Amino acid sequence: MAEVADSKELPLRKGDYRPAGPDDLRAPCPVLNSLANHGFIARSGRNITAAELKAALRHLGMGIDVTAILVNGAFQVHSDDPKQGARLGLRDKDQVNEDGEPVLNLDQVGRPHALEHDVSVTRQDRALGDYMHVNPDLLERFLAAPKTEKGFSASNFGKYRKTRYDEQKRDNPALELDGINHFSGCAELGAIQCIFGRGFPYRVPEEYIQVLFGEERLPIEQGWKPRRLPLMLPELAPVILRISYFAWPF
């Protein structure tokens, strides 16, 4: 896939990388932002359909079951009441495009009481500051966290999530983290482990994390390629549970 530095000189093709512009909407999720920066979903971050998002996730190597769980949940209508409504729902009521298809904007991923949660590995908690954009200091600490010679293992990810929980419990009096939020954070790292990990058991190279989280770019130039075999839930679930075991905060 070719990389294009200046979209004013050459037209961008799907797969070409361009960082988000000042008017582009982005999520508190480096993978979704990378998909937008490469044009696999709308580069503007606006009016993304379920079919478009599913196709982009399948490009990474996610299986039909994992993709359906993520996208179908996200496209439910959002509720600001943490005790009511779908925990994954992100859409506004009647939010559709000109063809009448339900759509999402990437910044809606940051809505409270849904996918976004406290104790991120690279974002601040909502009550403490900018929960949407990567925090350079947190990213630097994440990259410096203990890992194997070949990169981050599932246990490395879990232990670092536990470190972040202990820090936020100390620093954030308004910390919100229930069991659902905990497993959501572990699932995010589990998907990264399985999609971007090398070898078996999977190890995620530090340079992949630097590019994915720091530049919100797929680490193609670093040697990453989409999975040949789709990532299905029976493979993902044990990885999530292993991360959760080492990250368990309760």
Side-chain angles (χ1 to χ4, degrees):
M1 295 180 184
E3 301 272 329
V4 175
D6 188 349
S7 61
K8 295 180 180 179
E9 296 181 1
L10 293 172
L12 288 169
R13 301 166 297 174
K14 182 179 288 190
D16 291 336
Y17 172 77
R18 187 206 68 187
D23 297 324
D24 294 331
L25 301 180
R26 290 295 182 263
C29 172
V31 175
L32 290 177
N33 293 344
S34 296
L35 289 172
N37 291 342
H38 282 276
F40 290 109
I41 54 179
R43 293 182 185 272
S44 67
R46 292 175 170 83
N47 296 324
I48 299 165
T49 66
E52 181 183 5
L53 183 53
K54 286 179 179 179
L57 294 175
R58 286 197 297 268
H59 171 78
L60 295 180
M62 288 191 181
I64 189 171
D65 54 353
V66 177
T67 299
I69 291 171
L70 292 173
V71 178
N72 293 347
F75 270 73
Q76 295 182 50
V77 174
H78 177 70
S79 171
D80 282 321
D81 186 344
K83 297 180 180 179
Q84 297 180 4
R87 290 298 297 264
L88 297 179
L90 300 175
R91 290 179 56 244
D92 289 330
K93 185 179 180 181
D94 301 323
Q95 184 179 356
V96 296
N97 62 16
E98 59 185 10
D99 296 321
E101 296 177 282
V103 292
L104 275 177
N105 298 328
L106 279 184
D107 62 336
Q108 291 175 292
V109 178
R111 291 186 133 170
H113 313 130
L115 290 173
E116 193 273 328
H117 55 81
D118 283 346
V119 190
S120 166
V121 292
T122 60
R123 266 78 169 165
Q124 273 291 4
D125 287 354
R126 181 181 294 271
L128 298 184
D130 185 357
Y131 61 93
M132 291 290 287
H133 301 93
V134 65
N135 180 294
D137 292 335
L138 289 178
L139 175 59
E140 184 176 346
R141 290 181 50 217
F142 184 27
L143 292 169
K147 63 185 76 66
T148 73
E149 291 183 359
K150 295 182 179 180
F152 290 92
S153 67
S155 61
N156 294 148
F157 278 156
K159 290 175 183 178
Y160 189 67
R161 272 202 61 81
K162 181 60 166 62
T163 297
R164 288 286 297 132
Y165 171 79
D166 292 340
E167 293 170 350
Q168 299 311 93
K169 185 178 180 180
R170 177 194 66 205
D171 297 337
N172 182 7
L175 179 69
E176 293 184 8
L177 190 79
D178 59 15
I180 295 175
N181 297 144
H182 165 74
F183 279 108
S184 178
C186 293
E188 292 161 3
L189 289 176
I192 287 173
Q193 189 80 38
C194 294
I195 293 294
F196 296 98
R198 284 178 169 174
F200 190 82
Y202 302 121
R203 300 289 184 267
V204 184
E206 180 180 330
E207 59 267 29
Y208 284 16
I209 297 293
Q210 171 65 61
V211 168
L212 188 64
F213 284 79
E215 301 176 31
E216 297 188 330
R217 174 169 63 86
L218 298 177
I220 300 165
E221 293 183 347
Q222 287 67 37
W224 173 80
K225 295 180 181 179
R227 289 174 54 115
R228 293 183 179 180
L229 296 176
L231 172 63
M232 306 295 282
L233 191 58
E235 178 184 352
L236 176 60
V239 179
I240 296 173
L241 291 175
R242 181 165 177 79
I243 293 172
S244 174
Y245 172 80
F246 287 99
W248 189 251
F250 306 113

